[in-house]
Each structure stands twice: as C-alpha cells, then as structure tokens.
Amino acid sequence: MSTLVMKFGGTSVGDAFAFAMVRDIVAEQARGGDRVIAVVSAMSGATDELTHGIVSAANGDKEIYHDVCNSLRERHVDVIAESIRDDATRDRLISIVDTLIAEYANLCASVHVLGEVTPRVMDAALSRGERLSARILAALLQQADVQSKAVDATDLIVTDQTFQNAAPIVQATRERISAHLVPLLDAGTTPVVTGFIAATQDGVTTTLGRGGSDYTAAIIGDALDADAVWIFTDVDGVMTADPHTVPEARVIPVISYTEVGELAYFGAKVLHPRTIRPVIEREIPVWVKNTFHPQRPGTRIVRDATNTHGTVKAVTMITGLSMVTIAGRGMIGIPGIAGRTFSAVAREGTSVLMISQASSEQSICFIIPTVSAKAVVHTLQEEMERELSRRDIDRIWADNDIVIISAIGTGMRGTPGISARIFGALGSAGINVIAIAQGSSECSISLVVTSADATRAVQQIHKEVINHGK
Ligand code: ASP
Ligand code: MG
C-alpha cells in the first residue's frame, strides 16, 4: 500500500470530460488500495477570470465582474449537470457554486466602492476557483463509490502573511496535515484538497502564488512522507522542445531537478522548481503525467542527474524581449558602471534575463522584457547623465524583437564540444547569433537571436544537437 499525492492542473479539470478522466484515475488508484490524496487546481482559466473581474472592479468597471460570475457559474454548473446523476447532490453542488460566486461578487462590489483591491482581498477572491473544483471532484468520486471528501487547504497549510505569494510555515503545516488528513486516510477516505490556497495562523486565506497547486501537492507529499507525487497535466511530460515550435519534440523520460529549474527559468511551461523542492529534498519521486493518456510513462524528476554525459536535453525560447546596450570607449577600466547599471534596472522593478559584457569593456548588454525597455533606457540615461555628457558613454539604446534560446542539460558540464555543435548547427543554417551566455553551472547555454530567426534556430538545435545526441 502506498501513499500517493496526485495533483491535477486546470486543464485536467477544464470540463466534464476532463473531470471524468480525473475521477477514473483517482478511483482506479484508490480501489487498488493505495492511500490517495488528490490536489486540484481551479478549472482552466478560472483564476485568470477571477483576477480580471476583481481588478476591473477596483478600476471602476462594474460590468466585467458580473460577466465573470455568469461565465464561471455556467462552466461549473455545466460540469455538474453533465456528470452528477443524483438530483440531491446536483442541487447541493449548484447551491455551493452559487454561494461561492455570490461571495466573490460581494468582494468585487466592495472593491468597486473602495476603488482599490488589497493583496489580502485578492486571495480571498481567487481562492474560489479551487474551492469549487475540489467539491465537484469529491462528489464525482462519491458517485463512483470511492469514499471521498473535499478539504480546503486553509485547514492544512499555514503560511505567513505574504498575500498572493505566501510562504508555508513548515512545522505548523506538517501538524495540521497529519491531524486532518491521516484520520481520513485511515478511514479509507480519499481527500480532495484545494491546490494553491492556504491560510495564516489566524485563518485568513492566502495563496501560494500563481501556479501554486504543484506546491500544495509537494507540501502534502512531504508532510505525509508520500511514496510518490504525480503531477497531472495536459501533455505527456517534460518535452525536449515546445511541440508547437518543433513537431518532432519528444518526452524526456528522466530529468534532474536542476534541469527543470533551468527549463522553467528559460521559458518552458513546466513546473516551477521551487514548488517541488520539499519532495525532491526527501527524494520522493515526482512524475509529470498526462491526464488524458495516463498509461503513458511521463517524465520522472530526480534529485541528481546520472549518466547524462554529453547530452543536451531540451531547447527553449523566450520571446517578447529587448536587448539594452550601453556602449562607449570611455567605459574601459571605470569601476562601478555595471553596478550602477543593474541597480538602476532593479529600481525600475525589472528583472534581467541575461547579461553579457565583452572583455574589452566597451559595452554592456542585457536582456529584459520589451514591456520594460523604454522605462529602463530612460532610467539609465538619467543615471549615466554625466558619463553621457563627457562622452565616456556614447549611447544607451534598446533593440526590440529579441529572443533568448537556451539549450539545457547537466550533461554539458565538463563536456567539450557542445557549444561548437550548437553554433555549428546555427551557422550552417545561416542564423546570426547576437549574444551568448553560459552560466557557470554549465547547465545551459543561452544565445540571443532576432525573432525572425528564432523558430528556425530552435528547430536547428533540436535537429542537430538533441536528436543527434540521442
Ligand atoms: N489556479 C491557480 C493558478 O491558475 C493555481 C494553479 O493552477 O496551480 O495560478
Ligand atoms: Mg493553473
């Protein structure tokens, strides 16, 4: 008998069909005698809609949140109507939907009057999505004769007061999880826990940050010392590339925690590495699997990579970027330019994705999201006013339509020749590389190209380096 945490993301509970898949996956495991804890996200898009409704209410619009209420009500009621046979259960669930949505509408109405929404109120509003989906899944399992109960993670996960991005308090959380979940599991009940949400010591609702349901699963897996955590999503696992860009992209069977971190940083939509740290540290296996094809093997995430010598595992791209350059001959040997540059960027609240400085010190360039480019260039021009007027710095400017492409794999560490293969692949396709960076962890090589070349560059690296390196 094993203890298994199964987390289902938004697309896995996106409609009645998806809910039925989830029900079957959980039911099969529970009937086999395992102790199963299901963790669910809100229906796909629900958290975005809830955000949009309440933010627009704060900004003075009182129509949008009503539309959000109607559309969310309809989506949940549709699932209930399509999948729940028993009249009493159906009515009970629909009245839960109405209550939770009415509470949300009240929050929006107050926010509209106040003209402002605090992070604390945001969390109260956003928590509705998970509360709804957990109750529906628990009812579906009951209907399939699996004893089940919806549990709000506000009773399980104790956090600090950093609303919208709260940090769990480990000991208190462990105690609550064992006090609440162990008796249920001992009684043969499958808890369906709301992902994403938690509460302060005083019971005020918080959330763990967007995409936080993975974190919920990992926290529970850690507290219960689970045998495995399965993260269910709508793809077959972690892929060698985005299949929209590279049709022949494949599932990566085993990937290390570090590599997942690099992938997430460099734009692949896999799980946020922070969120699975609790289980990785305990060496609890984490699997990423497809809700719609649960028999496929998926990807296993392990703590340390073994036997990956010389291999590049994945290639990603991040679009919507600009490259800011500070150039001037007078910069040579002047200490502090880089420091002042990045302090000024940080004051703008912009995070820098990549930096490169030529050793001749005649320019510094770095990559930031295009949305911040204008403001950053302006701030830097102010910061460097004196240097600009003295001509120590000639010019500060931004180039838009920039893409960062990253090749990722711990196997690159200490393996010569990989960058040669990457650049060879691009060179033979006539793709111009604007800048290059390799982190000293040697887990990834990043390069900058224009958006016109980006797709071809990713395809080229996938074809010549990943597929050939197999
Ligand atoms: N529903 C939340 C979100 O969309 C949490 C999650 O899906 O993991 O961010
Ligand atoms: Mg989600």
Side-chain angles (χ1 to χ4, degrees), residues 7 9-10 41-42 47-48 130 195-196 209-214:
K7 178 260 167 175
S41 289
T47 313
D48 288 335
E130 272 72 10
F196 180 51
R210 292 303 307 273
S213 299
D214 296 330

Side-chain angles (χ1 to χ4, degrees), residues 40-59 61 63-76 96-109 111-112 117-134 164 194-197 205 207 210:
V40 280
S41 289
M43 288 181 78
S44 51
T47 313
D48 288 335
E49 280 194 64
L50 290 164
T51 306
H52 180 54
I54 196 155
V55 169
S56 58
N59 292 335
D61 189 308
E63 304 301 324
I64 293 177
Y65 79 82
H66 289 295
D67 296 343
V68 168
C69 290
N70 291 337
S71 102
L72 285 179
R73 180 179 192 281
E74 192 179 308
R75 281 184 71 195
H76 288 88
I96 290 174
V97 173
D98 285 332
T99 308
L100 284 168
I101 289 182
E103 287 166 2
Y104 169 76
N106 283 337
L107 288 173
C108 292
V111 156
H112 179 252
V117 56
T118 61
R120 174 175 169 151
V121 172
M122 281 295 279
D123 281 353
L126 266 47
S127 70
R128 312 280 133 181
E130 272 72 10
R131 293 184 208 257
L132 287 165
S133 49
Q164 302 219 264
T194 55
F196 180 51
I197 73 178
T205 300
T207 63
R210 292 303 307 273

